[in-house]
Amino acid sequence: MARGKLRIYLGAAPGVGKTYSMLSEAHRRVERGTDAVVAFVEHHGRPRTEVMLHGLEQIQRRELEYRGTVFTEMDVDAVLERKPAVALVDELAHTNVPGSRNGKRWQDIEELLEAGVDVISTVNIQHLESLGDVVDSITGVRQRETVPDEIVRRADQIELVDMSPQAIRRRMAHGNIYQPDKVDAALSNYFRPGNLTALRELALLWVADRVDEYLQEYRAEHSIRSTWQARERIVVGLTGGPEGRTLIRRAARMAAKGSGSEVLAVYIARSDGLTSASPKELAVQRTLVEDLGGTFHHVIGDDIPSALLEFARGVNATQIVLGSSRRKAWQYIFGPGVGATVARDSGPDLDVHIVTHEEVAKGRGLPVARGARLGRARIIAGWLVGVVGPALLSLLLTSIANGPGLANDVLLFLFLTVAAALLGGQLPALASAAVGSLLLNFYFTPPTHTLTVSDPKNIVAIVIFFAVAVAVASVVDLAARRTQQAARLRAESEILSFLAGSVLRGETTLNALLERVRETFGMDTVALLERTSDVDPWTCAGRAGGTEAGKPLLRPEDADVDMPVGDHMALALTGRVLPAEDRRVLAAFAAQAAVVLDRQRLVGEAERARELAEGNRIRTALLAAVSHDLRTPLASIKASVTSLRSDDVAWSEEDEAELLAGIEAGADRLDHLVGNLLDMSRLQTGTVTPLIREIDLDEVVPMALGGVPEGSVTLDIPEELPIVAVDPGLLERSVANLVENAVKYSPDGESVLVAASALGDRVELRIADRGPGVPDSAKDRIFEPFQRYGDAPRGAGVGLGLAVARGFAEAMGGTLAAEDTPGGGMTMVLTLRAAPGRPPVRPDLPAQATT
């Protein structure tokens, strides 16, 4: 059966005409032959609305009495039985009278929709759940009746019933909304012009957002990539430079000129993570754009212009704001720049604004030199070898008569160039090649001591030397950088592999993971911050390390480094600003931290769900026990009492004694069952508090045998046993349950053996029977509540005795387990703690073992 369709008339305030419009639509549908009925419409004494009900079929309402007053509500069963094509149900957010089918009217409507009935309803903007605080701050009236926004958003059609504040107040003054005695109070309070204007704006904006969702869905379904300028959306392209603040403020001023405009700031980072953007500056800019009512977005893309245009078209933007390039004139030889490329490729549907700022043409700044990663000492050594080394080599070679020759001189200078590349990188090697070429020309090619070269072969030799030196320097530098990158990537992979493995195995808690982040990156403080929405304050989900200057880390903006994780979570670090390449690993840590936090919460929820499921199982089993096992002795007692009170039967003394004995036995059995139920309830709720004291077993165990037939138990408790540290009451209850269970399953004529022995600092009490026993697979299950193994008769109890016995044993610090009795049967082993300070008793062993 197809689900019915929901149409909602949304208004800014009572009296705008929602119900009137709904009834008008009903009349139009009835005229077209549609089967439409009034399931529930409240006209509130408004004459024009009441007139609109004429001619429409109305379903009889259901009457409910609550606190001495009779109320009427929609009769859902009657509507479902009538099953019209369209049902009119007024006041979507209404709360039903206690005793109704559902607590809320929107739940009644959901039932009608599931049954295939189309529903037309009404609601005011102040009843939407997400706007409760906003409406309260505007009007001073807290709405108690609300409806979830998702219910309204899922409507197939939403129609705004709009009316100006002045018109609503005129309708109010004419008595068309409230009774005359309430008009003055309403006009001076809730229906003030400012309140109505604000509520009207809320309604218009909410519906506009809903229309925008419809538009996005339509564009996605029809693969429409071009921009539809139905609403001004301004995208601000950020580079992380200081000019970003100017661009954001300029875009905010542009958006303020048109109502409903939206600002979206976007920072595009390269996928390799190598970026010169300052995380601190980006955090400041993100705060600024959010303070101005915009949103901040972080996008990954290798081609900056393409990624920016793709983002703009994806959000249906109409304008892009970019800053004038910070590059110097000579830097344009590398390309036209992002601004020119975006303007060229934007097409006719996107306007591109290039905004000037104070940083224009001041230079973008060179990226951090790769050689800086080699360390200062190596760089200095490279420059010394590359510049000072050729000079010293020249002095050495010129001091040697009839030197090694030009070919060997060239090889020696080339050696210094390679050494400079290995030590300091490419720049010292290039400097060495240049200095070496000049020195070779000046000292070793005739005519010497001039820069003139007479022999063309020497010119070729010097040129080849320089070319080879440059090539070798480039290759060596590239190989060194690749080696360094490989080492770094290997370290990163090891870190990530360990991280992933530990998280997948569940070995890492959130605090341990954050501590590892702090140690890995050498930070002072690491905190995982989260918030439920964009306007809520940040809360700390976990922290490692101290706090900066004694102040807690409460916002990502206060940190030296922050890594966003989704929309409402961030990993914040203090101590130093991390280089770009470290942020890749940090992003992985941040994602894993979010996963660990989610897993911890899921584990907690699963534990709570398990407890609820266990409680539900206990309640179900308890209901079964009450329905049968507890009623059985009650029925026996009732029958015996009824027989004794019967006047038409003359009972003999033997019969009366037998009936009284039956009553007593039933009462004892009932008392035992109720006692076990109460004990299990105490164990389940954790309210069992043992009062531990030192006592001898022979003082407690005999008292636990009072409920079993005489002669059915053989007691063997040595006098030399050490004193045990137990709660006497709990121990007596445990032993009584164990002995009763053993006697119940023992064959006739077979007694149960209750024996005690000492082993080290423990005392074992064994209750052995000769019954059928249980297999090993069921030995743990028999200790669960309401579990009875095998073909135990229904009257044998509710299956709580062993569960209570184990619970009490564990509460006293002991254990209870089941073992097979040699020769057949089952033995319950109750292990208890010996009193502290008592010498342990060693088991009697033969002086010499024999085989």
Side-chain angles (χ1 to χ4, degrees), residues 49 118 134 167 184 279 320 384 405 457 463 508 534 550 562 669 701 778 840:
T49 305
D118 293 347
V134 179
D184 291 338
I320 297 178
L384 290 175
K457 295 180 181 180
V463 171
T508 303
D534 294 335
D562 76 288
R669 181 178 169 194
V701 175

Side-chain angles (χ1 to χ4, degrees), residues 776-790:
D776 293 339
S777 59
K779 282 187 170 61
D780 285 333
R781 194 168 67 248
I782 61 176
F783 292 103
E784 296 178 3
F786 302 102
Q787 295 290 326
R788 293 182 299 181
Y789 179 77

Side-chain angles (χ1 to χ4, degrees), residues 20 28 30 122 259 338 635 685 769:
Y20 189 91
R28 286 192 294 269
V30 170
T122 63
S259 178
V338 174
T685 56
D769 62 61

Side-chain angles (χ1 to χ4, degrees), residues 311-332:
F311 174 82
R313 293 192 175 101
V315 298
N316 200 27
T318 57
Q319 302 179 58
I320 297 178
V321 175
L322 299 172
S324 296
S325 179
R326 288 182 284 139
R327 296 192 298 178
K328 295 183 180 296
W330 65 269
Q331 292 177 314
Y332 280 96

Side-chain angles (χ1 to χ4, degrees), residues 22-39 53 55-59 79 82-88 117-120:
M22 178 178 66
L23 294 173
S24 299
E25 175 65 19
H27 279 286
R28 286 192 294 269
R29 298 200 182 193
V30 170
E31 291 174 359
R32 295 196 301 265
T34 304
D35 182 17
V37 301
V38 176
L53 287 170
L56 298 176
E57 178 186 350
Q58 300 186 44
I59 302 294
V79 179
R82 171 65 173 78
K83 199 171 184 181
V86 180
L88 276 63
V117 179
D118 293 347
V119 177
I120 304 177

Side-chain angles (χ1 to χ4, degrees), residues 676-695:
N676 274 338
L677 288 172
L678 292 176
D679 290 339
M680 197 67 230
S681 175
R682 292 168 59 200
L683 289 171
Q684 291 289 334
T685 56
T687 57
V688 175
T689 305
L691 302 176
I692 304 298
R693 66 186 182 91
E694 299 180 3
I695 194 171

Side-chain angles (χ1 to χ4, degrees), residues 390-403:
L392 296 177
L393 180 60
S394 299
L395 293 176
L396 178 62
L397 293 177
T398 54
S399 64
I400 300 175
N402 299 323

